[in-house]
Amino acid sequence: MPSLSIFGKRVRQLWHGADLALVGQRRERRMRMLASLVMVGMGVLWGLFFLSHGYTAIALMDLAIILSGVAVFLLTLRNRALSANLVLFGALLVVVVASTLLLDPPTLAAPRATHLYLLPMAVAALMAFRDEPMGLRYGISLFCLLLFVALAASTWRPTDLHALPDEVRVVGSWVQALVAMLMFFFLLHILQTDTAERSELDRDLRAAVRERQFVLHYQPQLNGANRVIGAEVLIRWLHPQRGLLAPGEFIDHAEHTGLIIPIGHWVLEQTAEQLHQWQDEPLYRDIDLAVNISQKQFSQNSFVAEIAGLIERHRIDAQRLELELTETLIVHDMEDLTRKMTALVERGVRFSLDDFGTGFSSLSHLKRLPLSKLKIDRSFICDVLSDANSEAIVRSVIALGQSMGMTVIAEGVETEAQRHFLASNGCNQFQGYLLGRPMPLADFRAFVQRHNG
């Protein structure tokens, strides 16, 4: 059964080829949502328990836990990870410390146990704030540990007025100690697994850079006459064990580790070489190639010299090279950005603003930058026919681009109805699965021959 064997091998490749960086992000999201649900569940459980025993004040504190859990859940759904984490850890710290000091004073019959939750919280902070500044990540973790030491080594409490009776705390001490240690063990396991996965991804990606395991795919860009006018260059990782991996499966890790710089340099070199080869082919020499530029790549002091060297070394028409910037990049250092863009535009290079409408750019930014093209983000195109807000945004972006003398291209076009709407509103350049998926060079050449030949 060779076909089944091949199929099984491919399934295993796809499974093992899951993006390790994204897996970590999804795991964090699931853990945060699980934590929020645990907060709600524990708040409801203990709230009902204490309310039934007449401890109204404590039940109100459990209500605060429930509300905090709901807030964390909603913030996570909206992908506001940092805000969700800050609310989560802030609420838990207040509750744990207040409960330890006010409700859980150590006695001979029932030792203090609530402070044990600070141990898994210290480990969880290392995971939750992994991509934040080191001061925030390690500061919160160390703060949890210092609080644990202070509470474990002291019997001090501000008052005994709110202390729970020993018959309640004896059972609670066993339950809380067991739950806290299970959480501690579980989080240590997750942290170790995550570290191993990131180490494996880092090792494989460094080998990929050394051994040039990357290939380029091209997604066609067409005009209103259905002719190919350009393509977006998209990198793929041809992993020796996992097969062909999309950029979303390794680019984030490359950004965090700085490997995006040699990877980005390789993409630019290959793009320039391709433009050089096409200069002698009438069917392809007028096709533009667009390359995404990362923030780390652009912020290099040598970036302008690198692009200028590519143009000179490969003897290409610089107007055929389009560098795509994201909105998040243009808000970091406007002076440096404007200076570098102007220097490259003077050499003929063109710039486009990718994913327009999803970041933080403003009209003041746009008018200062020498941009030649705006790309309408796919998130607006996908529901432009069903959502009035998306429709209004798309119309506004098209009008804005035209008024500022820029070309407007829509990405993520998947239906003829979307394309008709865009064309009727003045957008005459399109990119998306309706027109063509990212494809290897040979397929792209055949695609151009069919449309432009």
Side-chain angles (χ1 to χ4, degrees):
M1 298 290 286
S3 59
L4 290 178
S5 175
I6 294 172
F7 175 77
K9 179 180 179 181
R10 183 56 182 156
V11 168
R12 288 191 297 272
Q13 288 176 341
L14 291 172
W15 176 263
H16 292 298
D19 172 22
L20 296 178
L22 289 179
V23 165
Q25 293 174 6
R26 296 190 192 103
R27 178 185 293 144
E28 284 183 24
R29 179 184 172 91
R30 287 195 298 267
M31 290 297 298
R32 197 161 47 244
M33 297 184 76
L34 178 61
S36 68
L37 294 176
V38 169
M39 290 174 69
V40 173
M42 293 294 288
V44 170
L45 179 65
W46 286 114
L48 292 175
F49 173 82
F50 288 120
L51 195 61
S52 66
H53 286 72
Y55 297 103
T56 306
I58 302 175
L60 289 176
M61 187 171 66
D62 289 316
L63 177 60
I65 297 175
I66 295 170
L67 294 177
S68 298
V70 172
V72 171
F73 188 85
L74 293 176
L75 288 169
T76 301
L77 285 180
R78 296 180 181 181
N79 293 319
R80 297 176 60 182
L82 179 58
S83 298
N85 286 332
L86 290 174
V87 171
L88 174 63
F89 280 85
L92 289 178
L93 280 172
V94 170
V95 168
V96 169
V97 173
S99 299
T100 302
L101 293 177
L102 298 176
L103 309 178
D104 193 23
T107 65
L108 292 176
R112 179 179 277 166
T114 309
H115 67 296
L116 294 174
Y117 288 111
L118 292 168
L119 288 176
M121 285 180 63
V123 177
L126 294 175
M127 299 166 56
F129 298 98
R130 175 178 52 205
D131 297 325
E132 304 302 331
M134 290 182 63
L136 181 62
R137 182 190 187 194
Y138 291 104
I140 294 178
S141 183
L142 288 174
F143 185 62
C144 292
L145 292 176
L146 289 175
L147 282 175
F148 171 80
V149 172
L151 293 172
S154 170
T155 59
W156 178 85
R157 63 268 197 185
T159 178
D160 287 331
L161 293 177
H162 306 289
L164 295 174
D166 282 354
E167 57 266 23
V168 174
R169 294 182 54 253
V170 167
V171 177
S173 296
W174 281 98
V175 172
Q176 295 197 104
L178 179 62
V179 171
M181 290 304 100
L182 286 175
M183 291 174 61
F184 184 65
F185 174 80
F186 182 65
L187 288 170
L188 281 178
H189 172 72
I190 294 295
L191 184 63
Q192 185 273 335
T193 302
D194 186 61
T195 301
E197 288 176 346
R198 283 178 170 253
S199 298
E200 179 185 356
L201 177 60
D202 188 74
R203 183 183 66 249
D204 288 355
L205 196 53
R206 291 182 185 278
V209 172
R210 289 194 310 269
E211 300 169 13
R212 298 293 189 266
Q213 295 174 0
F214 304 107
V215 294
L216 296 183
H217 282 200
Y218 302 80
Q219 185 167 27
Q221 298 172 339
L222 281 71
N223 62 13
N226 213 36
R227 291 182 61 84
V228 181
I229 55 172
E232 181 177 357
V233 179
L234 299 168
I235 191 171
R236 299 290 188 266
W237 180 5
L238 191 57
H239 195 284
Q241 283 82 40
R242 302 180 183 124
L244 198 64
L245 304 182
E249 303 187 20
F250 59 91
I251 289 298
D252 282 348
H253 186 79
E255 286 273 6
H256 291 146
T257 59
L259 290 172
I260 193 66
I261 294 174
I263 292 174
H265 180 76
W266 179 85
V267 172
L268 286 169
E269 282 281 357
Q270 297 299 308
T271 302
E273 175 62 28
Q274 190 58 64
L275 288 172
H276 173 74
Q277 294 178 11
W278 283 347
Q279 286 183 150
D280 297 328
E281 301 184 54
L283 194 60
Y284 304 97
R285 64 187 175 197
D286 293 330
I287 290 178
D288 304 334
L289 291 181
V291 180
N292 290 281
I293 303 298
S294 75
Q295 181 183 334
K296 278 189 172 65
Q297 199 177 355
F298 196 92
S299 63
Q300 296 292 299
N301 293 330
S302 60
F303 183 75
V304 172
E306 177 187 346
I307 300 299
L310 284 174
I311 296 171
E312 182 177 353
R313 187 163 60 254
H314 294 279
R315 301 187 306 278
I316 61 174
D317 180 1
Q319 293 188 0
R320 303 271 76 84
L321 178 62
E322 178 183 309
L323 303 182
E324 291 190 359
L325 309 179
T326 61
E327 287 195 64
T328 51
L329 188 151
I330 71 175
V331 299
H332 284 84
D333 190 343
M334 280 295 297
E335 296 302 325
D336 181 65
L337 180 68
T338 305
R339 178 179 55 82
K340 290 178 178 177
M341 288 180 67
T342 301
L344 290 173
V345 168
E346 290 174 352
R347 290 172 168 83
V349 178
R350 295 179 302 108
F351 284 89
S352 64
L353 186 57
D354 196 14
D355 300 336
F356 183 72
T358 61
F360 309 97
S361 64
S362 65
L363 293 179
S364 63
H365 290 143
L366 290 182
K367 72 178 184 180
R368 291 176 59 187
L369 300 175
L371 293 164
S372 61
K373 182 182 290 186
L374 292 180
K375 296 189 74 173
I376 308 175
D377 185 66
R378 67 182 68 248
S379 62
F380 301 119
I381 302 301
C382 68
D383 58 1
V384 69
L385 301 177
S386 58
D387 182 78
N389 291 328
S390 293
E391 178 182 345
I393 290 172
V394 170
R395 291 182 190 272
S396 299
V397 172
I398 294 172
L400 175 64
Q402 291 174 339
S403 67
M404 299 183 71
M406 289 185 279
T407 302
V408 179
I409 181 171
E411 58 179 347
V413 180
E414 297 184 355
T415 67
E416 281 292 351
Q418 292 171 349
R419 182 176 182 177
H420 177 75
F421 171 85
L422 292 164
S424 64
N425 282 277
C427 177
N428 293 307
Q429 291 192 11
F430 316 97
Q431 177 182 338
Y433 285 0
L434 172 69
L435 312 166
R437 294 173 177 266
M439 57 191 75
L441 178 61
D443 294 342
F444 178 72
R445 289 177 63 92
F447 186 91
V448 174
Q449 290 176 356
R450 290 195 303 271
H451 286 77
N452 295 12

